[in-house]
Amino acid sequence: LPVELNADPGRTVLLAGVGRSGTTWISNIINSGNNFRYIFEPFHPFKVPEAQAFQYHQYLRPGADDPVIFDAAKTILTGRFRNPWADRVNKKRIASRRLVKTIRANLMLGWIHRHFPEIPIVFLIRHPCAVVNSWIKLGWGRADNGEENDLTHCLIQESLVQDHLLPHMNAINGAGSEFEELIFLWSILNYIPLRQLSQSDVHFIFYENVCLEPENEARRLLAFLDLPFRKSVARALERPSHMARPDSAIRTGASLTESWKASIRRAQEERALEILSLFGLDALYAGDTLPVTGAGKVPALLV
């Protein structure tokens, strides 16, 4: 377990995205030189005692003032805890910087930015059909151990519904398949950060762009974090993450950006685009495997 030498929040990098979007791969790029304590998924309330103040996929209004939530977030973001789950892949024994990788904090990124503005945030986006295809294969998002499924974890939060989802509730409740429910989940988990964060607040990065222009995207990312591009970064770009499954495209040699098309029917792809359009997210992906926008550009969805 690591020893922390500096609890300054400004010594933390926060990398967020949804599960199966490539966050582990991007974390390997950021931490290719092993300069950070790598904190893995610390906002998991069932794995990390310090995160029990949070719901699963916790939503927070940016201006919310809750000392219990603040203290819990500060403990996690400044590394003032040690946990076998969160530290299981860390290789930095004595650390003065932290890389927090999370797929369960998207709905409170606006709150984190408001309360910890010194923490640079990197937000990764991947095509919804690619992500949902992987979720379905793994059984992610379904009810587990008597708990609600991931979509229900979002919808039971009244403030989230009132602030962002009320106009879409009929459509969400009318989802006719697991695929549609998970596309709605992907939309919610990406829609809220895009409404609460601007280009000046966060470094947006698309998985597909990293696949097609790995060095350019890595250099942009590292420049944002004021980190050098070293040989170790080039090696990390080519190496599958420890989370990559045996049938993942990066291991089998299939297309990194289009392999999901073998499992997703055209009608499903069209339905996914219809759902995205409800949230304005067709400005990200519109009937193609690649993002519509340029490098790091995202639509203006700010409230």
Side-chain angles (χ1 to χ4, degrees), residues 170-214:
N170 286 340
I172 294 171
N173 291 329
S177 66
E178 179 187 30
F179 176 82
E180 290 188 13
E181 288 184 352
L182 292 177
I183 292 293
F184 274 114
L185 176 63
W186 182 97
S187 298
I188 292 168
L189 296 179
N190 285 275
Y191 177 61
I192 308 310
L194 290 174
R195 291 195 85 183
Q196 294 185 338
L197 298 167
S198 69
Q199 296 279 170
S200 61
D201 297 333
V202 63
H203 180 85
F204 293 101
I205 185 168
F206 288 92
Y207 173 86
E208 293 81 12
N209 289 344
V210 182
C211 293
L212 296 177
E213 297 186 342

Side-chain angles (χ1 to χ4, degrees), residues 40-85:
F40 176 84
E41 305 301 340
F43 288 100
H44 196 318
F46 310 140
K47 300 286 188 179
V48 179
E50 290 79 5
Q52 290 179 356
F54 303 100
Q55 296 187 51
Y56 200 83
H57 292 307
Q58 174 75 58
Y59 171 71
L60 291 173
R61 289 169 170 151
D65 185 14
D66 184 327
V68 174
I69 288 287
F70 178 84
D71 288 346
K74 186 174 182 180
T75 294
I76 290 171
L77 294 170
T78 59
R80 292 187 290 121
F81 78 108
R82 298 191 295 180
N83 176 270
W85 161 268

